[in-house]
Amino acid sequence: HLSLRRQRQMCIRDRPWCSRTVLAGIQIILRNLDDGSYHVHVGRSLADYTWRILEDAALEFDVAVAVRS
């Protein structure tokens, strides 16, 4: 996955604002934005599954999950 590799390289460069982790067995990259929100980067084939996991968790903790362009 070239795009995920590119995001990982950006993560290494921007370290304090970026982290790699695993969510439900899915490798993800989290980028902390200046407004307190996050960009979540996952492989394209797992994007829908990851989105459903995040929506479910958001309901439990009463937080918003939204798509940004």
Side-chain angles (χ1 to χ4, degrees), residues 1-15 18-20 27-31 41:
H1 297 278
L2 185 57
S3 63
L4 197 56
R5 185 177 306 132
R6 197 172 303 127
Q7 293 300 331
R8 184 175 64 222
Q9 289 168 346
M10 289 171 56
C11 184
I12 292 167
R13 185 188 67 211
D14 301 337
R15 268 246 158 106
C18 190
S19 177
R20 290 178 60 195
Q27 290 189 14
I28 64 172
I29 297 173
L30 293 173
R31 298 192 76 210
H41 301 276

Side-chain angles (χ1 to χ4, degrees), residues 3 15 22 40 51 55 60 62 64:
S3 63
R15 268 246 158 106
V22 176
V40 179
W51 181 256
E55 281 185 319
E60 183 177 347
D62 196 32

